[in-house]
Amino acid sequence: LVKDKNDLKKITDVIENNGLDPGDENGIHEIKRIYEKSGVIEFAKTEIEKYTFLAEKNLISIADAEMQQRLKWFSSMLMNRNF
């Protein structure tokens, strides 16, 4: 998804260094900008929704109805959380 060579290098550097220093505000904002520009965030949201739907669809195989409801609630909570 990341096509710009400079952006790709920055992302690769972050991965190879096991992340960014939590105090590196400029680095954090730069990576966020790259993610937003490349569509990574929207792609991730779409994938999360897809796999959450598949997981919820399979909850029917759980005999305990109360457990099904708890897992659906948990799934919904994860889908709707904000960072």
Side-chain angles (χ1 to χ4, degrees), residues 14 21 23 35 52 65:
V14 168
D21 176 3
Y35 280 7
T52 299

Side-chain angles (χ1 to χ4, degrees), residues 23-82:
D24 182 4
E25 289 293 322
N26 289 333
I28 293 168
H29 289 295
E30 181 65 11
I31 296 302
K32 185 177 178 188
R33 181 197 63 76
I34 293 168
Y35 280 7
E36 289 171 345
K37 179 176 121 179
S38 66
V40 169
I41 294 172
E42 285 305 313
F43 177 77
K45 285 180 183 178
T46 300
E47 290 295 294
I48 290 166
E49 289 171 359
K50 177 174 79 175
Y51 284 101
T52 299
F53 173 77
L54 290 172
E56 287 181 353
K57 197 168 119 178
N58 285 292
L59 289 177
I60 197 155
S61 66
I62 298 174
D64 184 337
E66 183 179 344
M67 185 57 70
Q68 281 183 21
Q69 286 306 110
R70 286 182 182 187
L71 290 169
K72 283 182 183 179
W73 170 84
F74 185 67
S75 171
S76 175
M77 188 261 316
L78 290 174
M79 285 289 299
N80 296 308
R81 66 186 174 161
N82 293 313

